[in-house]
Amino acid sequence: MFQLLKVEWMKVKHYRTFWVLSILYLVSVFGAIYIAHQIWTLAPKNNEMSKAVVGALFNFPDIWHLVSYISSFLMFMLGLLIIISFTNEYSYKTHRQNIIDGWSRKEFILVKIALTIIVALAATVAVFITALLFGLQENATSFTFEKIEFIGYFFIQAVSYCSAALLFSLLFKRSGITIGVFFLYTLILENMLTAFLNHYTDNFGRYLPLETTDNLIRIPFGKAIINQFMASFNTPALLIMATVYLALYYFISVKKFESDDL
């Protein structure tokens, strides 16, 4: 597997679009947190209502939650990285060449699955470092690993979005169509389905594929007020469902690639 990953690295290493988008993602994460920090700095904190809404978001331990939550809105960029990486194989027929060179179909798709995990891990490290830097800058004496689990939830969410993007890439193969369908589903269709199911069932919409991991990181500010109007969430159930969906993504991806025409 290590040798196969080295070959994958050689592909990605010279793929300029991949690195441009990666840098854009890192800048976007840091930039979004910086803007949020500027807004938080200007917000009034001299009364009980403002304290209940704003709180000490940029102090530890809340900074772990806040940065994970804001960064989660950039998940589509991670999916885009996976889509352009995989559909590029179809555009230049490199997947076919790898099979001719002796790779099995299963080895090829397992390397792509490993890439989704590596991308998710790199994004998680970036979020961790961003949270650490802003937290230390705001109040170093408050440092704690309490609520660090939200960084872990971010990783699970990132793996989920990247794995879904891989599956969409396998199904549609062409980058333009895949990106369009991925954006349509993640930003519009699943949100509509979630709202519909939550309205007509007992909040069953929270267990849709990507919504499951989205709900692991709930809005971190105004919790005392917002939680009065929102349904409670069963975190262990969400984690179980997220694991089930990941297993399905990988199972379908492997079976699909093994049976596809090259």
Side-chain angles (χ1 to χ4, degrees):
M1 175 59 76
F2 181 73
Q3 187 62 34
L4 301 180
L5 286 173
K6 284 178 65 178
V7 174
E8 187 66 21
W9 164 249
M10 294 304 296
K11 293 180 188 176
V12 173
K13 182 179 179 181
H14 301 291
Y15 191 17
R16 182 177 297 178
T17 304
F18 183 90
W19 293 109
V20 169
L21 285 173
S22 298
I23 294 170
L24 182 60
Y25 172 79
L26 296 176
V27 171
S28 297
V29 168
F30 189 88
I33 305 305
Y34 177 79
I35 292 171
H37 181 264
Q38 294 302 107
I39 295 172
W40 178 81
T41 301
L42 296 173
K45 308 178 186 68
N46 55 358
N47 59 66
E48 292 303 318
M49 177 60 74
S50 61
K51 289 179 181 178
V53 174
V54 178
L57 291 174
F58 279 86
N59 290 334
F60 294 103
D62 289 335
I63 187 66
W64 302 118
H65 187 176
L66 177 69
V67 174
S68 299
Y69 175 77
I70 294 176
S71 300
S72 70
F73 286 94
L74 299 171
M75 284 294 168
F76 68 91
M77 297 181 70
L78 298 180
L80 188 58
L81 280 173
I82 298 301
I83 290 170
I84 63 167
S85 172
F86 191 84
T87 55
N88 195 54
E89 301 274 2
Y90 285 101
S91 297
Y92 293 97
K93 309 297 183 184
T94 49
H95 68 301
R96 183 179 298 173
Q97 187 60 49
N98 287 147
I99 302 301
I100 293 172
D101 290 341
W103 292 29
S104 69
R105 291 184 181 228
K106 191 169 188 177
E107 285 175 333
F108 180 89
I109 194 61
L110 288 178
V111 167
K112 293 301 180 183
I113 290 173
L115 180 63
T116 66
I117 297 172
I118 291 170
V119 168
L121 183 60
T124 304
V125 171
V127 168
F128 172 84
I129 293 174
T130 302
L132 184 65
L133 291 176
F134 276 91
L136 292 175
Q137 183 272 332
E138 189 64 33
N139 187 357
T141 59
S142 67
F143 176 78
T144 177
F145 282 117
E146 184 184 349
K147 296 189 179 181
I148 193 69
E149 66 269 15
F150 285 102
I151 300 295
Y153 295 158
F154 177 88
F155 173 71
I156 294 170
Q157 187 182 24
V159 173
S160 179
Y161 272 76
C162 289
S163 301
L166 177 64
L167 181 56
F168 278 111
S169 301
L170 272 164
L171 293 174
F172 298 101
K173 296 182 175 64
R174 295 183 179 180
S175 60
I177 296 174
T178 305
I179 291 170
V181 174
F182 180 75
F183 275 57
L184 181 65
Y185 179 77
T186 58
L187 300 180
I188 299 176
L189 289 182
E190 187 168 281
N191 288 324
M192 291 175 62
L193 283 170
T194 298
F196 177 83
L197 290 173
N198 285 344
H199 181 74
Y200 290 103
T201 66
D202 186 20
N203 291 299
F204 184 76
R206 73 181 70 173
Y207 296 114
L208 289 176
L210 299 179
E211 186 70 12
T212 297
T213 54
D214 289 348
N215 287 323
L216 288 172
I217 309 175
R218 302 187 71 187
I219 186 169
F221 42 84
K223 289 177 284 187
I225 300 172
I226 294 172
N227 288 346
Q228 298 178 29
F229 305 98
M230 295 182 68
S232 60
F233 284 75
N234 186 331
T235 299
L238 292 173
L239 289 172
I240 291 170
M241 289 303 299
T243 303
V244 170
Y245 283 126
L246 283 175
L248 283 173
Y249 292 149
Y250 295 148
F251 177 78
I252 296 171
S253 295
V254 171
K255 293 301 179 183
K256 172 68 174 170
F257 189 75
E258 286 183 332
S259 62
D260 264 355
D261 292 331
L262 293 178

